[in-house]
Amino acid sequence: MRSKIVAGNWKMNNDCKQTKSLVKGIKKTIKKLSLENTRVLVAPTFVNLSAAAKRAIKSKIEVVAQNMHQASNGAFTGEISADMLKSIDIKTVIIGHSERRSIFGETDELLAKKVNTAIEKELEVIFCFGEQLEDRKSDNHFNVVKNQLEKGLFHLESIAWNHIVLAYEPVWAIGTGETASPEQAQEMHAFIRNLLEEKYNTSVADTTSILYGGSVKPSNAKEIFSKEDVDGGLIGGASLKAEDFVEIIKAI
Ligand code: PEP
């Protein structure tokens, strides 16, 4: 059975004090929820990972990283390696977020290298991908998504998929307030699961969690999460307020 996952991507928001207070707020409320087969993840910025992890002790909250460098170590000023993350007990890393792709120029080829390093280091990867608005308007969204998966992940052996979570995030829905309809999300998620079946096997297709991301909020989470192939969400803006994030967790 695949896990349900609600993951908050805090991006470059929250100083140390705000980070601790947000973790505390989420921890307090989710204590009362029965979260069977459901994972709750938060991704603070690098400098606040340890503080967040300390606050998350004895809770369901898993603290994850927003990014990492593909090299093991060396002269890469300003970068963070997989081993550094592991040394502070981080077990999961987001790779390929659309902001990394569009603002920082991360290509499919580079992302494949990051994925390889993360897998070698036994980190779990939340791999993000999704089409631009013009791709959808020109009915090219399935091709774009297939291409991103082929280049970023389909070189992996099936065993590596135990460490992969997919996050389909149509770029036009990220931070825009515009959400894919539950039907659009389901259609794409079913397409992705079908690709996994074709490329790998039923087991990979059935056990890989596929999250939806793009303006998920308390008011729309339940409907999106109710779709068969949507296993949870990657949440940006709405994960910055404990009450909203917890409402989204409840929706799952
Ligand atoms: C994201 O950044 O991954 C995201 C989905 O953001 P938002 O929820 O704000 O659209």
Side-chain angles (χ1 to χ4, degrees):
M1 187 165 51
R2 51 187 185 259
S3 306
K4 301 272 182 196
I5 301 173
V6 180
N9 176 14
W10 294 350
K11 312 191 184 189
M12 199 174 74
N13 293 298
N14 294 330
D15 62 18
C16 194
K17 197 171 161 201
Q18 291 164 329
T19 298
K20 289 194 246 182
S21 130
L22 188 48
V23 173
K24 201 172 152 196
I26 299 166
K27 181 174 170 176
K28 200 172 130 200
T29 329
I30 66 168
K31 228 187 236 171
K32 298 166 204 148
L33 307 177
S34 89
L35 293 172
E36 225 172 286
N37 193 38
T38 301
R39 296 171 62 194
V40 176
L41 277 50
V42 297
T45 185
F46 288 124
V47 291
N48 292 325
L49 285 171
S50 288
K54 203 167 158 195
R55 279 290 181 288
I57 286 173
K58 291 195 187 150
S59 81
K60 258 266 183 182
I61 302 169
E62 298 171 46
V63 176
V64 313
Q66 296 177 15
N67 182 31
M68 56 163 254
H69 194 268
Q70 65 278 14
S72 296
N73 63 290
F76 301 104
T77 302
E79 292 292 335
I80 310 283
S81 73
D83 283 334
M84 291 170 188
L85 295 176
K86 288 184 69 168
S87 72
I88 55 165
D89 273 338
I90 299 298
K91 297 186 170 56
T92 302
V93 59
I94 298 173
I95 289 180
H97 189 276
S98 79
E99 286 145 22
R100 298 297 319 171
R101 291 174 186 260
S102 65
I103 305 172
F104 300 98
E106 297 195 354
T107 61
D108 292 317
E109 291 69 26
L110 174 73
L111 296 174
K113 288 184 188 160
K114 290 192 177 202
V115 166
N116 290 346
T117 305
I119 296 294
E120 262 168 46
K121 300 288 181 180
E122 296 183 339
L123 284 168
E124 178 185 51
V125 172
I126 300 178
F127 187 80
C128 304
F129 55 95
E131 81 280 2
Q132 304 277 343
L133 184 57
E134 52 274 28
D135 302 321
R136 186 159 277 267
K137 281 188 174 159
S138 58
D139 213 15
N140 200 28
H141 45 299
F142 293 115
N143 284 337
V144 168
V145 162
K146 185 173 181 207
N147 195 39
Q148 287 171 325
L149 291 174
E150 278 175 348
K151 290 189 169 153
L153 295 177
F154 281 4
H155 60 283
L156 295 173
E157 301 284 334
S158 57
I159 186 82
W161 281 79
N162 294 336
H163 298 281
I164 303 284
V165 170
L166 298 179
Y168 166 60
E169 300 203 297
V171 178
W172 48 272
I174 298 180
T176 58
E178 197 174 333
T179 323
S181 69
E183 291 70 31
Q184 284 174 320
Q186 169 58 28
E187 186 185 33
M188 183 58 88
H189 284 220
F191 171 76
I192 294 162
R193 215 176 288 291
N194 201 37
L195 286 180
L196 296 181
E197 170 102 47
E198 273 172 28
K199 169 70 192 171
Y200 293 96
N201 51 48
T202 309
S203 166
V204 170
D206 283 351
T207 56
T208 301
S209 297
I210 309 177
L211 315 185
Y212 167 79
S215 298
V216 176
K217 33 190 185 270
S219 58
N220 60 21
K222 201 166 182 178
E223 219 190 327
I224 295 172
F225 295 164
S226 70
K227 293 295 175 189
E228 192 185 338
D229 288 297
V230 178
D231 303 309
L234 182 55
I235 323 294
S239 68
L240 294 170
K241 267 179 77 185
E243 310 87 80
D244 287 354
F245 190 54
V246 170
E247 282 308 307
I248 294 170
I249 296 166
K250 283 183 188 164
I252 206 132

